[in-house]
Amino acid sequence: RHGSKTTLSSISLSIEKSEILAIIGPTGAGKTTLLRLIDQIDTPASGKVLFDGIEVTRRLRTNVRRQISMVLQKPVVFDASVYDNVAYPLKVRKYDRKNIPEKVNAMLKTVGLDGYQKRKARTLSGGETQKVALARALITDPQLLLLDEPTANLDPVSLNSIEELILQFNRDNGMAIVIATHEMAQGQRLAHRIGVMM
């Protein structure tokens, strides 16, 4: 609930390891709220969230959040270089500094941004910005990736590129992915299962 308004009610779902689950529904159905609850950004008014069978609703938040990454519909990038944006999660997790450049450069190559290291992230196109956000989310090798309308407002070429990356990371890394989208066709293209929110 948000104040007196009930945003979600009677929601029950499980996310399997290595699957892509699409949550489809119209604007205002509560898809983003559901992702925020899974990511431990928000706390449910009732009910519980379990991660690997352990209830984490009001405890273990930091440990669980380090195993989950989320990319927002309008990705936020820092006023810094592409390299610094992608390296940031590793630095805050105290990753070995001498290994950061290799890991960041490999990730940028994977998402198609090799050579963009020194570019200012805020000067990029929408598709490129979304790739920076994906790279930053994936650099920590999360068990679960949450995507909120990951291709909204992108041109067809950028949309195809992002969708291919989603499928690649699921296939190559066995990463569980939850995509919130209002596009049924996207869910059918990408997901193993589809849940519908009315």
Side-chain angles (χ1 to χ4, degrees), residues 91-136:
K91 291 176 181 176
V92 296
R93 286 171 171 81
K94 307 286 192 256
Y95 193 81
D96 187 347
R97 286 191 177 269
K98 64 177 179 285
N99 294 328
I100 289 177
E102 181 182 354
K103 192 166 175 71
V104 171
N105 291 331
M107 179 58 69
L108 289 173
K109 186 172 185 179
T110 299
V111 300
L113 293 177
D114 192 26
Y116 282 65
Q117 282 84 340
K118 294 181 180 177
R119 298 257 309 262
K120 285 285 188 185
R122 290 189 176 170
T123 66
L124 302 178
S125 70
E128 291 165 344
T129 302
Q130 194 71 306
K131 286 181 178 181
V132 171
L134 260 177
R136 190 173 59 201

Side-chain angles (χ1 to χ4, degrees), residues 16-58:
E16 303 298 328
K17 290 183 178 182
S18 303
E19 83 166 329
I20 299 177
L21 173 66
I23 305 293
I24 296 176
T27 301
K31 300 184 300 295
T32 299
T33 299
L34 180 60
L35 294 186
R36 289 174 61 89
L37 290 169
I38 294 169
D39 195 29
Q40 305 287 297
I41 296 170
D42 292 338
T43 303
S46 63
K48 56 189 174 183
V49 177
L50 291 91
F51 193 84
D52 275 342
I54 300 167
E55 185 178 351
V56 296
T57 317
R58 288 168 183 83

